């Protein structure tokens, strides 16, 4: 009999320690007839912080699109919690309410994100300068905009505005 075959009992709380979630559980060894061996023991499963779920393209090596509903972003910086697989990248685009890309914030102006991280900034380049949402006009900042993420060989876990 293998340990852990007698069912698991999860602890009621998860513990965050150094950007790693610790999930404690109890289990025991059990044979095919349901006989338990060795008593209850404590196990530990770990998971990187904020990596429970992800948006993943159906075909990892092909470009996919995530388009968010129109929102007003109160802060200048958008950040992604992403996992980039070898050869992968994420690009961003900002479009107006009806879906037209905003000049300077289109996919081609996006600075590609090619490294994994929980706090990767979304940026664009225009006339040699790198910018965030602070490059939008005051009028554009007051209007809901659509954020589009073009992902290839990557997992998008979360987005936040800071």
């Amino acid at each position: 009999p293998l340990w852990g075959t007698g069912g698991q009992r999860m602890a009621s709380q998860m513990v965050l320690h150094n950007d790693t979630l610790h999930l404690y559980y109890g289990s025991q060894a059990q044979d095919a007839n349901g006989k338990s061996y060795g008593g209850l023991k404590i196990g530990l499963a770990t998971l990187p912080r904020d990596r429970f779920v992800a948006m993943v393209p159906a075909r990892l090596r092909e470009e996919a699109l995530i388009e968010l509903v129109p929102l007003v972003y109160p802060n200048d910086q958008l950040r992604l919690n992403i996992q980039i697989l070898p050869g992968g990248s994420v690009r961003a685009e900002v479009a107006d309410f009806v879906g037209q890309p905003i000049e300077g914030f289109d996919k081609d102006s996006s600075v590609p994100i090619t490294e994994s991280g929980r706090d990767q900034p979304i940026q664009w380049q225009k006339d040699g300068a790198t910018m965030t949402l602070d490059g939008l006009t005051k009028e554009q900042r007051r209007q809901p905009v659509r954020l589009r993420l073009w992902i290839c060989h990557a997992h998008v876990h979360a987005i936040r505005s800071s």
Side-chain angles (χ1 to χ4, degrees), residues 89-110:
S89 67
V90 174
R91 289 178 172 263
E93 178 173 84
V94 177
D96 62 19
F97 189 83
V98 296
Q100 293 296 324
I102 295 173
E103 184 180 342
F105 292 87
D106 55 277
K107 175 184 168 189
D108 293 333
S109 300
S110 175

Side-chain angles (χ1 to χ4, degrees), residues 55-57 60 82-85 88-90 151-156:
M55 299 281 296
V56 180
L60 271 178
I82 54 175
Q83 180 183 5
I84 304 290
L85 303 174
S89 67
V90 174
I151 62 176
C152 182
H153 214 65
H155 300 180
V156 177

Side-chain angles (χ1 to χ4, degrees), residues 112-144:
I113 301 170
T114 57
E115 294 183 13
S116 297
R118 290 186 194 90
D119 203 28
Q120 296 289 61
I122 297 176
Q123 300 174 322
W124 294 266
Q125 285 209 332
K126 186 176 180 182
D127 300 326
T130 301
M131 61 185 172
T132 61
L133 293 180
D134 60 350
L136 294 172
T137 67
K138 286 184 181 183
E139 179 63 26
Q140 290 168 328
R141 296 289 301 272
R142 289 192 290 261
Q143 302 297 317

Side-chain angles (χ1 to χ4, degrees), residues 2-162:
L2 298 173
W3 180 78
T5 56
Q8 285 81 36
R9 292 152 197 90
M10 291 294 299
S12 62
Q13 301 288 321
M14 294 177 274
V15 177
L16 179 62
H17 179 70
N18 295 334
D19 280 340
T20 301
L21 280 178
H22 291 231
L23 298 97
Y24 294 93
Y25 63 96
S27 189
Q28 59 190 7
Q30 194 173 61
D31 66 18
N33 297 319
K35 183 176 178 184
S36 296
Y37 295 89
L40 188 65
K41 296 181 181 174
I42 296 174
L44 171 64
T46 60
L47 183 71
R49 178 180 54 90
D50 295 336
R51 294 284 172 101
F52 278 106
V53 296
M55 299 281 296
V56 180
R59 294 181 181 94
L60 271 178
R61 294 223 179 253
E62 293 180 20
E63 190 172 62
L65 171 66
I66 298 171
E67 183 171 334
L68 301 181
V69 298
L71 294 171
V72 174
Y73 293 96
N75 301 311
D76 291 342
Q77 188 62 256
L78 295 175
R79 297 185 174 276
L80 290 176
N81 178 348
I82 54 175
Q83 180 183 5
I84 304 290
L85 303 174
S89 67
V90 174
R91 289 178 172 263
E93 178 173 84
V94 177
D96 62 19
F97 189 83
V98 296
Q100 293 296 324
I102 295 173
E103 184 180 342
F105 292 87
D106 55 277
K107 175 184 168 189
D108 293 333
S109 300
S110 175
V111 176
I113 301 170
T114 57
E115 294 183 13
S116 297
R118 290 186 194 90
D119 203 28
Q120 296 289 61
I122 297 176
Q123 300 174 322
W124 294 266
Q125 285 209 332
K126 186 176 180 182
D127 300 326
T130 301
M131 61 185 172
T132 61
L133 293 180
D134 60 350
L136 294 172
T137 67
K138 286 184 181 183
E139 179 63 26
Q140 290 168 328
R141 296 289 301 272
R142 289 192 290 261
Q143 302 297 317
V145 294
R146 296 175 185 272
L147 180 66
R148 295 177 178 144
L149 299 176
W150 301 88
I151 62 176
C152 182
H153 214 65
H155 300 180
V156 177
H157 294 277
I159 183 170
R160 68 181 175 86
S161 175
S162 63

